[in-house]
Amino acid sequence: MTDAAAKPVAKAAPSARSMNGARAFWLKELHRWHWISAGLSLAGMLLFAVTGITLNHAAQIPAEPVTVETTATLPAPLLERLSDFPDETTDPVPDAIARWVSSELDVSVAGKPTETAPDEIYVALKGPGSDGWVTIDRATGEALKETTTRGWVAYVNDLHKGRDTGVVWYWFIDVFAVACIVFTITGLTLLWLHARTRASTWPLVGLGIAIPVIIALIFIH
């Protein structure tokens, strides 16, 4: 009677083989997602790590801005078309004007908002590591483009900050961030699974958490 009652309990208890099987399954899946997320985030992680250093030492890295000016004169037929353009607006310039600017000044202003006044049309040219503008005199048709570049360090620093980098880079940062989250969570879970055979695991993890917390609480004011 006692043996018969004990048998169902023995069957319900998980066997060592099933536990090892579950462990092996999760190890395999975690390793899979860990290396996939590592591959996806490798280039971005390297870029953001390097630019973290360049941003932290921006004052020590020399950079000499280079400014370039280009001028052209709007043809009379296109200048006449500006007479129908509002005196004050933020609307983009007409497509014909945008095509001419692209051809003559080698810059795209299509779809970009303007700062239009009765005497001038102004279009800001913003990009990573650079600034600039295009102006068109509404009376004479004189067009001027001025661009200032600050070198490759400023360029990659602006990529890090997402400054004037456009919609595609905006979404890349989000996707990259998700890949990094998967990479760190799977890495932490793998550490947990291997911790019993690696005595230094949790002291190192605790140290990695404690150092930035202590710095933030004590040394940042």
Side-chain angles (χ1 to χ4, degrees):
M1 192 81 149
T2 305
D3 292 338
K7 284 182 181 179
V9 176
K11 288 181 181 179
S15 65
R17 180 178 297 179
S18 64
M19 291 179 66
N20 288 336
R23 177 184 172 83
F25 170 80
W26 284 111
L27 276 173
K28 182 179 179 180
E29 287 300 309
L30 287 167
H31 276 109
R32 186 200 309 276
W33 284 103
H34 194 62
W35 75 258
I36 289 174
S37 59
L40 289 173
S41 60
L42 175 62
M45 197 175 297
L46 181 61
L47 171 67
F48 278 78
V50 171
T51 51
I53 296 173
T54 56
L55 277 169
N56 202 39
H57 296 273
Q60 288 81 43
I61 300 174
E64 187 173 341
V66 177
T67 300
V68 177
E69 290 187 359
T70 308
T71 60
T73 302
L74 198 66
L78 291 179
L79 183 58
E80 289 179 8
R81 295 188 62 172
L82 284 181
S83 61
D84 297 328
F85 200 60
D87 286 345
E88 294 185 2
T89 184
T90 58
D91 292 344
V93 295
D95 291 342
I97 306 289
R99 288 193 296 269
W100 178 85
V101 170
S102 177
S103 173
E104 297 298 320
L105 300 180
D106 192 28
V107 65
S108 175
V109 296
K112 294 183 183 294
T114 64
E115 295 179 24
T116 299
D119 60 338
E120 183 182 73
I121 296 174
Y122 173 93
V123 183
L125 304 175
K126 298 179 179 179
S130 66
D131 291 289
W133 42 264
V134 168
T135 59
I136 301 175
D137 189 302
R138 301 186 67 166
T140 65
E142 182 181 357
L144 171 65
K145 180 189 77 170
E146 180 177 292
T147 55
T148 300
T149 55
R150 301 185 303 277
W152 69 268
V153 174
Y155 178 84
V156 295
N157 283 350
D158 283 350
L159 291 183
H160 185 111
K161 294 182 288 186
R163 175 184 178 270
D164 301 322
T165 50
V167 175
V168 176
W169 188 260
Y170 170 89
W171 285 109
F172 164 76
I173 290 178
D174 281 354
V175 172
F176 162 71
V178 171
C180 287
I181 291 170
V182 173
F183 177 72
T184 54
I185 290 176
T186 54
L188 180 62
T189 309
L190 286 168
L191 284 173
W192 174 67
L193 290 172
H194 290 296
R196 63 183 180 183
T197 58
R198 298 171 184 172
S200 61
T201 296
W202 297 124
L204 288 174
V205 172
L207 190 63
I209 296 172
I211 288 175
V213 171
I214 292 171
I215 292 173
L217 292 177
I218 298 177
F219 297 102
I220 297 178
H221 303 286

